[in-house]
Amino acid sequence: MKITVNGAEHELASPPLTSLLNALRDELNVTGPKVGCQGGNCGTCTVLVDGEPRRSCLLPLAMVDGAEVTTIEGLGTPKRMHPMQAAFHFYYGSQCGFCAPGMITASVALLERNPNPTRKQIQNALGGHICRCTGYVKIIDAVEAVARGESFDGAELTRSRGGEATPKGASA
Amino acid sequence: MARHKGRGLATIEYPTGMNQSGDLTQSWIKLKHDGRVDVLSGTVDIGNGSKTAHRQIVAAALGVPVDWVTVDVSDTDASPWDTGTFASRCTFIGGNAVKIAAERVRERVLEIAGKMLEIDPADLTIEEGVVFARGAPETNISVSDVAHAATWQLGGELISGTGTFVKPFAKILDQETGRIDRDPHAALSYGASVAEIEVDDETGEVRVERFIEAYDIGYAINPTIVEGQIQGGTVMGLGLALLEASYPYYPSPEHRGADFASYMAPSMVDLPQIDFLCLENPSVEGPFGAKACGEMANNGQGPSVAAAIHDAVGVWVTELPLTPERVLRALEKKAAGEDAPRVDGKWVIFDEELSINAVGAPDADVKFTFDPF
């Protein structure tokens, strides 16, 4: 079984019925996609298979032979973030971060398909991704910002957005 | 058959952290030789944003830019003690602990800078990483230079400070009157939730169109994180109001929904409009006046949606979650003329004696009794 993960080709030793998620995490040590419910309900294991968002926990390796897989790691790094990652960072679209790998990959796929989604379309596209922290509002804000073409340079990223609200009486 | 609109209100008060002593956080701050500040705190950020808030608190209390401060919570074995991330206590109790530690570091920096500049430390202040004389800013020295000198020239001192915050027992001074020696609660936050809903009287389905949430959180150290806590809490409260329950044998886990297909958590498609208002009525004891905004953000939605259902169709559904089945059963009862009067849940009546006994120690010599082992 051969798959390309984030640009690098791998010959896999895992049996063909191993889930893509387990193969990524256990055999290739790509731990961006998270092990959530393992039943396709929560969405945090989502990866892009040939550009399409897929639940990697439900995909046996046999079905992705020869496919090109992109995980959250393949989108960008902390130094060179994908615009969607930067937007999630800037808009506080992630709190504990457990849903973020799936949310971000699915959002990237959404904008590939539909570069100018309405708020309702974003809600429908990401409806299968569960987040218990943010209340979803800031995630939708982040996706909308990328769709609008907002960019976030390094200076903005290192700035604590709450920095402007540094407590009063700072040097009392 | 029709859809009915309704609006309901609920109010909440929320005590911050645990108040009966024993709920403490320790922290330790070291100022490295280049001026960078390392904060080791027991408080663990589980997504609540306490790491960012602590960074801001330390930067403000010490007088250095936020970028100089690193908060390390990576190892709970090596970190100072903390009882945990719960009860909305991280910013209040943990924040106070890092603030106290930062103030000690600041004090030591001023002492050393005073010697270096030959000025009484009481006349010095720190802003944006620079120590300067009040009224004479041209007499100044950078905090990083002070730290460098302490390390390499003045005997190798590692400038550091520890801070602990714990809300002590309130001592009962007079059994007759119940007079106590201090405010037994650390800080009380207040909130209100308004739900605007639509009830379908044929299916019993309740749809929330809008929540209006108002919270008095003392002081928003990081307004964006507060916003996130309130939005997140509101959606979690929506789940508690309409969807989530550990049926059928709570608290036994038997036969309850084992995955997100049977235990329904709100998803993005359920998202109502959320408007909120953040009021700042500072606490005397909180860091920069901050109180709490974590857990209480999901307390008001259940009762406000229940009240809105009553407003819409005239029935009280007295059990959460407010499922279509429960709404329909209540409507059926009403139609049969068995419109039960409002059934109250557990009434918590404020009993002064019970309350004081809960937070006070009758023995004035009570020692710190918390034993983690």
Side-chain angles (χ1 to χ4, degrees):
Chain A
M1 221 80 60
K2 248 187 205 158
I3 56 170
T4 307
V5 178
N6 300 330
E9 209 177 82
H10 297 278
E11 182 78 46
L12 294 174
S14 301
L17 288 181
T18 313
S19 70
L20 174 60
L21 175 65
N22 286 347
L24 286 171
R25 292 180 58 90
D26 299 342
E27 190 176 338
L28 301 179
N29 209 17
V30 177
T31 54
K34 296 286 174 267
V35 184
C37 65
Q38 298 204 74
N41 298 311
C42 75
T44 188
C45 67
T46 302
V47 299
L48 303 180
V49 178
D50 295 327
E52 288 291 315
R54 291 280 179 266
R55 301 280 200 261
S56 62
C57 70
L58 296 180
L59 268 184
L61 281 183
M63 291 183 67
V64 290
D65 193 11
E68 195 153 319
V69 176
T70 308
T71 68
I72 184 82
E73 289 98 333
L75 293 177
T77 63
K79 288 254 162 69
R80 296 175 67 109
M81 289 195 203
H82 185 279
M84 191 63 75
Q85 292 170 314
F88 267 64
H89 180 119
F90 189 82
Y91 279 90
Y92 285 43
S94 155
Q95 286 186 22
C96 82
F98 199 78
C99 72
M103 285 280 186
I104 293 173
T105 43
S107 303
V108 168
L110 166 67
L111 293 194
E112 289 274 313
R113 220 166 46 235
N114 178 1
N116 287 301
T118 60
R119 223 171 155 81
K120 198 79 218 162
Q121 284 169 332
I122 297 172
Q123 279 171 276
N124 285 334
L126 301 178
H129 291 254
I130 290 174
C131 169
R132 290 302 258 164
C133 298
T134 61
Y136 304 111
V137 181
K138 294 190 185 309
I139 292 174
I140 303 174
D141 289 349
V143 179
E144 279 186 324
V146 178
R148 276 197 305 271
E150 265 180 50
S151 66
F152 311 93
D153 63 25
E156 277 172 311
L157 283 175
T158 51
R159 180 169 67 92
S160 150
R161 198 174 172 220
E164 63 244 21
T166 293
K168 290 169 207 157
S171 53
Chain B
M1 296 296 139
R3 287 162 183 260
H4 306 267
K5 283 186 189 286
R7 180 186 256 215
L9 165 74
T11 56
I12 318 125
E13 62 146 44
Y14 195 90
T16 308
M18 317 296 279
N19 292 298
Q20 303 170 55
S21 195
D23 186 23
L24 70 81
T25 295
Q26 300 171 329
S27 72
W28 179 57
I29 296 178
K30 68 178 198 276
L31 182 61
K32 296 201 278 205
H33 67 102
D34 56 1
R36 282 179 299 154
V37 183
D38 280 355
V39 182
L40 263 136
S41 177
T43 312
V44 176
D45 190 337
I46 56 167
N48 46 333
S50 57
K51 210 169 155 180
T52 310
H54 286 189
R55 215 174 154 207
Q56 289 178 245
I57 290 169
V58 169
L62 189 51
V64 299
V66 172
D67 296 354
W68 293 16
V69 184
T70 309
V71 179
D72 184 1
V73 292
S74 56
D75 187 343
T76 46
D77 272 347
S79 292
W81 180 261
D82 177 74
T83 41
T85 300
F86 58 87
S88 308
R89 62 186 292 286
C90 289
T91 303
F92 185 86
I93 294 176
N96 265 330
V98 293
K99 185 163 178 269
I100 293 165
E103 279 162 357
R104 291 196 176 145
V105 171
R106 179 189 160 90
E107 222 169 276
R108 188 66 192 135
V109 169
L110 289 180
E111 274 171 27
I112 297 172
K115 272 182 208 155
M116 293 170 76
L117 296 171
E118 295 177 347
I119 297 178
D120 182 358
D123 296 330
L124 292 172
T125 187
I126 312 177
E127 259 177 51
E128 286 295 303
V130 179
V131 187
F132 61 90
R134 285 180 218 269
E138 63 281 359
T139 311
N140 65 62
I141 184 167
S142 157
V143 170
S144 54
D145 288 343
V146 175
H148 189 271
T151 309
W152 301 111
Q153 287 144 27
L154 306 173
E157 176 178 347
L158 171 61
I159 301 176
S160 60
T162 59
T164 296
F165 186 82
V166 61
K167 181 75 190 174
F169 267 111
K171 284 172 193 156
I172 298 173
L173 300 175
D174 185 347
Q175 280 292 351
E176 293 267 302
T177 61
R179 193 159 62 86
I180 45 182
D181 72 339
R182 67 181 78 235
D183 177 7
H185 288 292
L188 287 171
S189 301
Y190 302 94
S193 165
V194 175
E196 291 180 358
I197 63 148
E198 201 179 70
V199 186
D200 187 321
D201 66 8
E202 190 175 10
T203 63
E205 199 185 346
V206 177
R207 205 169 60 80
V208 178
E209 292 173 339
R210 182 184 181 207
F211 275 122
I212 309 164
E213 305 282 319
Y215 293 97
D216 164 22
I217 58 146
Y219 174 70
I221 286 171
N222 187 317
T224 315
I225 290 180
V226 170
E227 212 176 283
Q229 288 291 86
I230 292 175
Q231 289 162 344
T234 304
V235 172
M236 195 174 271
L238 173 72
L240 299 174
L242 297 179
L243 302 165
E244 296 174 47
S246 312
Y247 288 144
Y249 304 120
Y250 177 83
S252 161
E254 235 175 297
H255 303 303
R256 79 168 175 214
D259 54 43
F260 291 120
S262 44
Y263 180 96
M264 301 298 282
S267 79
M268 217 179 260
V269 285
D270 303 314
L271 188 65
Q273 184 186 335
I274 301 171
D275 295 325
F276 71 91
L277 189 66
C278 186
L279 306 167
E280 294 183 322
N281 172 29
S283 146
V284 182
E285 290 187 49
F288 301 98
K291 298 197 282 200
C293 81
E295 206 170 312
M296 75 164 174
N298 66 18
N299 289 180
Q301 292 75 17
S304 71
V305 173
I309 291 174
H310 181 258
D311 185 39
V313 291
V315 295
W316 286 108
V317 185
T318 53
E319 245 180 298
L320 293 179
L322 305 153
T323 55
E325 183 186 339
R326 284 175 175 158
V327 174
L328 283 183
R329 283 188 195 283
L331 284 171
E332 263 171 30
K333 267 193 179 173
K334 190 191 174 199
E338 303 168 32
D339 183 19
R342 173 176 170 174
V343 182
D344 291 309
K346 265 186 220 160
W347 264 106
V348 181
I349 297 165
F350 183 75
D351 181 315
E352 208 164 343
E353 197 181 341
L354 279 178
S355 178
I356 289 168
N357 285 340
V359 295
D363 177 359
D365 292 325
V366 162
K367 294 277 178 336
F368 184 64
T369 52
F370 182 71
D371 179 5
F373 307 105

